Amino acid sequence: RVVNDTIFEIQHKGVTMGSQRAKTAFELAMEKVAGMPKLNSEEIKEEHKKESIAKGQAIAQNYLQNIHHKTDIQNEIAAFSPDQEGYGRKSALECLSQALSLTNPQTSRHILDGIAALNPNVSTDAALKRLNNIIDAFQKELAATYVSMEKIEVKRLKKEGISGSAIKPNLKAQNSWQEKQAELTASHTDKLNNFQKSLLPPAMSG
């Protein structure tokens, strides 16, 4: 019994001491926090701005990922506090506009619907028509350039004694085509960028 009482006493003391150690660590942490300089009004405002931007991006990304089940992006942004709503809306609009692509037109309407929900100056149908014109011009120039370069390659092969109706040069694997493709993509991306900026309210597109 003496042994058991001793064990109990040691265990009891261990629990008590453990609690004291945890309490002391907690108190030290709280003292450290209390000793940290408090944020002033401008710093608090900046933190709220960062938070609003991050939330706006998250809302836009969620919208983009749910193409077959549209989220209510308009009400999600409207739920922001008045001092944060502007930053959240701007962040979401920029994220959506940047998602528009020359090579993925099947998502265009979904993205433009989201933009139109956040910017009443944008009409989905009118914007889609403008975007499709940019994409069509890009695809047509790309195709025409490919055909032209392919003909040049066929002529080169014939001069080397390689000919026949079955001859089809693998132009896509050649550096010359890849460089030209990158050049054309960059050229039309500039047009896409200008279009993307036009989807933002004037205060946001500068």
Side-chain angles (χ1 to χ4, degrees):
R1 178 176 175 81
V2 173
V3 173
N4 289 338
D5 288 346
T6 303
I7 292 173
F8 175 77
E9 183 179 355
I10 291 172
Q11 289 175 337
H12 179 70
K13 286 182 178 178
V15 171
T16 303
M17 290 173 66
S19 298
Q20 288 175 343
R21 285 196 297 273
K23 182 179 180 181
T24 302
F26 176 75
E27 287 176 344
L28 287 173
M30 291 304 294
E31 288 174 6
K32 184 177 179 180
V33 171
M36 293 175 65
K38 294 183 178 179
L39 297 176
N40 60 39
S41 59
E42 286 301 316
E43 289 170 331
I44 293 173
K45 184 178 179 181
E46 184 62 25
E47 287 302 312
H48 285 171
K49 177 181 176 181
K50 291 178 182 177
E51 180 184 347
S52 303
I53 290 171
K55 285 183 178 178
Q57 290 173 342
I59 288 171
Q61 287 295 338
N62 185 49
Y63 177 85
L64 291 171
Q65 292 166 9
N66 287 277
I67 189 168
H68 299 299
H69 178 68
K70 291 184 180 179
T71 58
D72 193 349
I73 191 170
Q74 187 174 21
N75 283 335
E76 287 184 50
I77 294 295
F80 280 51
S81 62
D83 61 322
Q84 294 183 324
E85 194 266 349
Y87 295 119
R89 184 180 297 272
K90 178 179 185 292
S91 176
L93 276 169
E94 288 177 342
C95 185
L96 291 175
S97 65
Q98 289 167 10
L100 293 168
S101 168
L102 292 170
T103 56
N104 194 22
Q106 61 268 30
T107 62
S108 297
R109 178 172 284 278
H110 176 67
I111 296 171
L112 290 171
D113 278 342
I115 292 173
L118 299 181
N119 182 3
N121 295 324
V122 173
S123 161
T124 297
D125 289 338
L128 185 61
K129 184 176 181 180
R130 290 170 56 204
L131 177 58
N132 284 340
N133 287 339
I134 294 171
I135 294 174
D136 288 346
F138 168 65
Q139 292 178 339
K140 285 177 181 177
E141 186 171 4
L142 204 63
T145 303
Y146 187 89
V147 170
S148 176
M149 291 182 69
E150 188 177 52
K151 288 179 179 178
I152 293 171
E153 181 64 10
V154 169
K155 288 180 181 179
R156 185 187 69 78
L157 291 174
K158 283 183 178 180
K159 286 182 180 179
E160 295 181 0
I162 304 172
S163 60
S165 59
I167 297 299
K168 193 77 173 177
N170 185 17
L171 196 62
K172 291 182 179 179
Q174 296 183 13
N175 289 336
S176 58
W177 165 249
Q178 292 171 3
E179 290 172 1
K180 189 63 179 179
Q181 185 180 33
E183 178 187 323
L184 292 175
T185 301
S187 172
H188 287 271
T189 296
D190 286 341
K191 297 173 184 176
L192 176 63
N193 289 341
N194 289 332
F195 170 73
Q196 289 168 326
K197 289 177 182 177
S198 75
L199 299 174
L200 306 177
M204 297 184 186
S205 57

